[in-house]
Amino acid sequence: MFRAGVDLIQLDVSVLDGKRQPVTGLNASDFTVFENGVQRPVRAFTSIQLRPNAGTAVAATVPLDVVTNQVGQQEGRLVVILMDRSIPSGQPTLIARKVAVAAVGALGPYDLAALVSTSGAVPQNLTADRTRLINAINERRDWSTGHSKELKDVMTIPDDALSDGRCLCGLCVLETLTRIADAVQNTPRRRKVLLFIGSSVIFQAGPRAPSADVGCDWRVSEARRRLFDSLALSNLTVHSIDPSGLASLGPQTRAGALGGKQGEDGPVRRLQKMQTEISELLSDQGSLHVLPDLTGGRAVSNTNAPEAKVPEIFGESDTYYVVGFERGMSDQRDDKRSIEVKVARPGVRVYAQRQYTVPAVEKSVVPRGADAPMSLEKALRGLLPNASRPLTLSVGAFAGSDTASAIVMVNVDVGAFANAREMAMPLEFAVSAVNQKTGRQIAFARETATIRFKPGTSNRRAEANVQTHVELTPGDYEVRVAVSDPATGIAASVFCPVTVPLFGNAPLSLSDVIVETTDRMPSLPASATQVPTTTTRRVFEQDEGVRALVQVYQGTQRTDVIVPVSVRTTILDAKGRAIRDQLLALTAKDFTNRRAALALDIGALPSGDYVLTVDASLARQKTSRVLHFAVE
């Protein structure tokens, strides 16, 4: 919701024809919005087309090295790939990975995706970096907690998913789905898509023997209600994809068929087992239709190549609309109101948020320090960062003096916390690093500092870059930063992934790239010293001095002889043309403690979008870094 004289509720709306193709060419007059059954005026309208065309700029394909917490206000998809515990072991697990990889391949240039499991782990949070997503998908881990049919044939104790202590009553699945739906609320300019990859979902527990009854019926009912309520508020479209493939039913289709023992009727037992498996299959596949039917998604099953359906699923959200309507007035707060969106086109299906909650009156001032610690901790949690104040964050890994760890430089711009009365104010900070493989927090620090803000200009807002660092061993991490104003209790956060290379052992490696600027101010005397400032900005003015800093390493723990390294730096414009191209030959004298520092001038360019590429090579060893920036 945003305020512009009136309260507007923004909705992302998908309109599909009878063949599930997006309907294009609609305008505001085609939409009618009803709140609690009463028509409300449409005050804002945007048509969004995501399908990339042949003229997509080179820079759009380069992952950004700076992230923002304003992902909900950007256009594109938010895609959550959920690997469920019901994925059968063996071949279905391989197919599940194929489906997930196909989803990454279908991402558009401005989409963000995350990989989640129903155990609550987040192997990869929302990112546009396809390499990170693919690595997380292919990480050696067993998504399944179920048993194969062959094992079930010989189990003496019946397999009972409701009694599994790792996910009692199957609640972990419904709770994970609810957390995802909660997290993507209030992102009206994004299409939200969840790919549920699994073979079943428990929506009903049913009656159970007293000895096995742990209250699953009531627990599942409550969890289901919370999930459905959250889905109504989020407009998250759920697609269920079963990786089990075409089913072979009955023990006679498997080695070691039941029956054949003395006193047993083998054919009768096999028939009973087949009937049981048919009933279970119909129940499982029926459960996979529940959420797609509720949210307008698809249920894909009974195919050995479900990954082939992924492009069609993504095609449904190539076009969507953002509709802002004026909400009705009411003295009640925190009440839920129903939403219905209609489109003046015959034979179309419309999918939009079905409810919203009237926000409570916010307190403008909170006593200094009140609830600030809780605000910081809460801002660090969740799938999406807290966007109450715009933040930008850059994170870069450099080899440390301690050969066992790297120094990860953290730079966050908190300029949005500035106010007109004070150009210096205390802010509270919390920084955490989470291991992407285990989901565990590896490092955490918090502090309070007085921040001085650089006044804004006509082209940009106030700026205050705050630097800190954490020491991490090689691996993949997500760095999370939360910032709070203790005077108001307002907190915001921003998340950024980082990979720490094997600086110590790798024959050749590069640090990440950081950027520093120096304002060129003609009013200063020529002898005045201008101090460069590290910045998270990637859009620069032509009168700024801008340098990209990167370090080259030849194994900081190695003892072999330093050899020449070739470094090529290239700046391409939006059309892929080389604006600058330089080849550097680094020799032993350029290295100190097995590292060489480069400062690359990327200023004094015409207006436009650019990509800086740094390619280093040593014999057969090659590595590179890229930086996307613009000049206006």
Side-chain angles (χ1 to χ4, degrees):
M1 187 184 74
F2 61 89
R3 296 180 182 274
V6 295
D7 284 343
L8 293 186
I9 305 299
Q10 290 190 94
L11 310 172
D12 60 294
V13 182
S14 175
V15 184
L16 304 181
D17 63 18
K19 297 181 179 179
R20 297 192 67 90
Q21 296 299 305
V23 177
T24 61
L26 300 177
N27 53 53
S29 61
D30 293 313
F31 289 81
T32 307
V33 180
F34 296 87
E35 176 194 79
N36 283 348
V38 178
Q39 183 174 342
R40 301 301 306 165
V42 173
R43 301 297 191 192
F45 177 82
T46 305
S47 174
I48 297 177
Q49 171 64 258
L50 295 183
R51 182 174 297 163
N53 53 49
T56 299
V58 173
T61 64
V62 177
L64 299 179
D65 71 309
V66 172
V67 296
T68 175
N69 62 352
Q70 300 297 298
V71 295
Q73 299 303 318
Q74 299 168 336
E75 298 173 359
R77 302 178 186 88
L78 293 181
V79 180
V80 179
I81 304 168
L82 177 58
M83 306 293 269
D84 186 53
R85 66 195 306 272
S86 65
I87 297 172
S89 58
Q91 184 66 19
T93 298
L94 300 179
I95 294 176
R97 286 196 170 97
K98 286 185 178 181
V99 173
V101 169
V104 174
L107 293 173
Y110 305 106
D111 294 347
L112 298 176
L115 182 69
V116 180
S117 74
T118 45
S119 64
V122 183
Q124 177 58 59
N125 208 339
L126 286 166
T127 180
D129 191 329
R130 299 187 182 193
T131 300
R132 288 184 178 278
L133 289 163
I134 296 296
N135 289 341
I137 292 167
N138 292 329
E139 185 77 34
R140 294 189 62 182
R141 67 175 79 229
D142 187 6
W143 305 104
S144 172
T145 58
H147 303 295
S148 66
K149 290 182 179 179
E150 289 78 6
L151 181 58
K152 290 180 181 180
D153 285 342
V154 298
M155 290 176 65
T156 57
I157 300 176
D159 184 42
D160 183 7
L162 293 175
S163 300
D164 188 342
R166 295 166 295 182
C167 184
L168 190 63
C169 304
L171 295 178
C172 67
V173 179
L174 301 181
E175 290 168 350
T176 299
L177 290 166
T178 302
R179 284 195 295 270
I180 294 170
D182 288 342
V184 300
Q185 291 180 22
N186 303 317
T187 55
R189 300 193 69 81
R190 294 273 192 177
R191 281 296 292 141
K192 283 82 69 175
V193 178
L194 171 66
L195 300 182
F196 178 92
I197 305 176
S199 62
S200 66
V201 185
I202 297 174
F203 286 109
Q204 288 183 324
R208 297 169 59 78
S211 60
D213 189 3
V214 293
C216 284
D217 189 21
W218 176 82
R219 293 170 186 262
V220 171
S221 176
E222 282 298 298
R224 183 179 66 242
R225 179 189 60 78
R226 289 192 294 269
L227 171 59
F228 288 1
D229 286 347
S230 184
L231 288 171
L233 293 167
S234 66
N235 194 27
L236 174 66
T237 302
V238 181
H239 302 275
S240 297
I241 303 177
D242 185 359
S244 302
L246 294 172
S248 298
L249 299 175
Q252 68 275 9
T253 64
R254 302 185 290 275
L258 293 173
K261 296 181 181 180
Q262 185 175 2
E264 292 182 346
D265 190 337
V268 171
R269 290 196 63 197
R270 289 194 292 271
L271 177 60
Q272 292 173 342
K273 185 66 175 177
M274 184 174 68
Q275 291 173 338
T276 299
E277 290 184 11
I278 291 174
S279 176
E280 291 176 349
L281 177 65
L282 293 176
S283 176
D284 289 346
Q285 292 188 349
S287 71
L288 294 178
H289 282 264
V290 172
L291 296 182
D293 289 349
L294 180 66
T295 63
R298 297 187 182 202
V300 179
S301 60
N302 294 321
T303 173
N304 290 330
E307 68 275 10
K309 295 294 184 181
V310 170
E312 297 178 16
I313 290 174
F314 274 74
E316 294 178 8
S317 54
D318 280 343
T319 297
Y320 63 97
Y321 303 89
V322 177
V323 178
F325 72 92
E326 181 181 342
R327 70 175 178 88
M329 300 301 295
S330 173
D331 294 332
Q332 298 182 3
R333 295 289 176 174
D334 295 319
D335 66 324
K336 289 183 180 179
R337 301 183 184 180
S338 66
I339 302 172
E340 183 182 9
V341 180
K342 295 184 178 181
V343 174
R345 292 289 178 90
V348 301
R349 287 174 285 183
V350 182
Y351 301 104
Q353 184 177 328
R354 302 188 302 279
Q355 291 180 348
Y356 79 95
T357 301
V358 179
V361 178
E362 296 181 355
K363 296 181 180 179
S364 58
V365 178
V366 179
R368 182 174 294 272
D371 297 326
M374 180 60 69
S375 296
L376 281 176
E377 293 172 3
K378 185 176 181 180
L380 286 175
R381 297 196 297 265
L383 190 66
L384 286 169
N386 185 304
S388 61
R389 291 290 185 274
L391 298 175
T392 53
L393 173 67
S394 66
V395 178
F398 291 77
S401 56
D402 178 1
T403 54
S405 299
I407 301 297
V408 176
M409 304 300 298
V410 179
N411 184 20
V412 58
D413 180 7
V414 299
F417 278 87
N419 60 58
R421 299 184 305 275
E422 302 175 89
M423 291 312 294
M425 59 188 296
L427 293 177
E428 295 183 339
F429 297 85
V431 180
S432 72
V434 177
N435 186 297
Q436 292 278 47
K437 184 176 181 179
T438 64
R440 295 179 179 177
Q441 181 173 281
I442 302 300
F444 178 82
R446 63 183 303 156
E447 61 180 313
T448 300
T450 298
I451 306 302
R452 297 188 179 277
F453 297 91
K454 180 180 179 181
T457 67
S458 58
N459 295 328
R460 62 177 186 263
R461 58 173 172 78
E463 184 177 359
N465 285 275
V466 180
Q467 290 87 34
T468 187
H469 73 274
V470 292
E471 295 187 10
L472 298 173
T473 56
D476 291 320
Y477 301 89
E478 183 173 64
V479 174
R480 298 187 167 202
V481 178
V483 185
S484 174
D485 179 358
T488 63
I490 295 175
S493 58
V494 59
F495 309 155
C496 183
V498 63
T499 295
V500 178
L502 291 166
F503 291 127
N505 297 327
L508 177 67
S509 59
L510 289 174
S511 72
D512 288 311
V513 180
I514 61 174
V515 177
E516 64 178 22
T517 63
T518 302
D519 289 339
R520 292 171 178 163
M521 302 176 63
S523 59
L524 291 178
S527 59
T529 301
Q530 299 185 14
V531 179
T533 303
T534 304
T535 182
T536 64
R537 285 190 295 114
R538 294 299 181 262
V539 179
F540 307 105
E541 299 176 8
Q542 290 183 321
D543 62 350
E544 288 184 277
V546 188
R547 297 195 307 174
L549 308 180
V550 63
Q551 292 187 357
V552 185
Y553 307 106
Q554 289 197 45
T556 56
Q557 288 182 284
R558 298 170 68 96
T559 58
D560 49 339
V561 176
I562 295 291
V563 296
V565 175
S566 175
V567 179
R568 190 183 198 104
T569 63
T570 308
I571 296 180
L572 303 179
D573 66 10
K575 295 183 179 180
R577 298 175 300 192
I579 304 300
R580 294 179 185 172
D581 192 350
Q582 183 180 17
L583 184 62
L584 304 174
L586 303 181
T587 62
K589 65 182 180 61
D590 297 308
F591 286 82
T592 302
N593 295 328
R594 307 190 69 86
R595 65 196 73 196
L598 302 178
L600 309 173
D601 185 2
I602 59 174
L605 290 170
S607 298
D609 289 337
Y610 298 95
V611 173
L612 166 69
T613 303
V614 180
D615 294 309
S617 59
L618 185 163
R620 295 183 179 180
Q621 303 291 326
K622 294 183 179 181
T623 185
S624 63
R625 290 288 183 267
V626 293
L627 175 74
H628 174 204
F629 67 100
V631 178
E632 60 182 19

